Amino acid sequence: MDFLEIARNRQSCRAYDNTRPVEREKLLACLEALRLAPSACNAQPYRLTVAQGEVARQVGAATRSMGMNGFTQDVPVFLVIEESAYNFTASAGAKVKGQDYRSVDIGIATAYFTAEARAQGLATCILGWFDEKKLQQILHTSGHIRLVVSVGYAKAGDALRQKKRKALDGLVTWLG
């Protein structure tokens, strides 16, 4: 599967098969892709927690409120991405440029993870709606949690939806 095919066929899954466990080897491949993702000064300013079993059920509960993310009750695995400190070089560069690159680095790493998950036949959904304090309690951390990614197999019949994206000419300006 080439990258463009992965991009065309990856979607946010909201219907997981809770009877099908995710193989550790596939999770390790996704984590390796994330590890290899570029980051400012190679700082990798994040810490990862893979939640499975009872911990995954608790993490899923922390993502459901106000009618949001009801599907997470069936998710077998969650990747929780916590922001961490930069190395000295990236920290200095961020101060000089007035730009905190950590959220960009976390976004790139998450994209690598979800792309490899698709290549492995897994489904994902990137979640920004969660109870951070509850997650910090579950994970025994005080760090800033940026994203939660649900991971599993899509239920049979979860068809690929047509992508709704801007046309390329609405995104790109060509100069020169």
Side-chain angles (χ1 to χ4, degrees):
M1 190 180 295
D2 70 19
F3 185 77
L4 201 50
E5 185 179 357
I6 290 168
R8 286 184 179 122
N9 291 295
R10 193 234 156 248
Q11 66 183 3
S12 294
C13 180
R14 292 180 180 88
Y16 287 88
D17 181 350
N18 64 4
T19 66
R20 192 168 175 197
V22 177
E23 299 87 344
R24 184 176 180 85
E25 299 78 35
K26 290 186 177 190
L27 288 172
L28 287 170
C30 296
L31 291 166
E32 179 66 4
L34 182 152
R35 186 184 75 81
L36 295 172
S39 68
C41 301
N42 295 317
Q44 297 176 291
Y46 37 78
R47 181 78 185 134
L48 312 168
T49 300
V50 177
Q52 302 176 42
E54 178 55 34
V55 178
R57 285 185 277 287
Q58 292 175 30
V59 168
T63 67
R64 294 189 297 273
S65 68
M66 297 175 61
M68 299 292 289
N69 300 328
F71 67 91
T72 61
Q73 68 186 4
D74 292 326
V75 174
V77 178
F78 288 94
L79 174 69
V80 181
I81 305 171
E82 182 180 336
E83 184 178 280
S84 62
Y86 270 136
N87 61 23
F88 176 77
T89 308
S91 180
K95 285 179 183 156
V96 167
K97 298 303 287 178
Q99 181 92 276
D100 188 342
Y101 300 102
R102 288 178 290 190
S103 61
V104 173
D105 290 347
I106 288 169
I108 294 168
T110 302
Y112 272 52
F113 180 92
T114 59
E116 181 58 28
R118 178 66 190 111
Q120 293 290 329
L122 298 171
T124 58
C125 186
I126 303 167
L127 306 169
W129 186 276
F130 48 80
D131 183 332
E132 184 175 28
K133 289 189 186 321
K134 188 182 278 187
L135 284 175
Q136 288 169 333
Q137 290 172 343
I138 294 164
L139 304 175
H140 308 288
T141 185
S142 60
H144 183 38
I145 296 170
R146 288 303 213 152
L147 294 173
V148 176
V149 181
S150 58
V151 185
Y153 287 97
K155 280 186 178 177
D158 185 35
L160 184 63
R161 299 178 299 274
Q162 183 177 6
K163 293 204 180 276
K164 297 176 185 173
R165 301 292 190 267
K166 292 179 180 179
L168 199 54
D169 63 357
L171 296 171
V172 178
T173 300
W174 294 80
L175 301 174

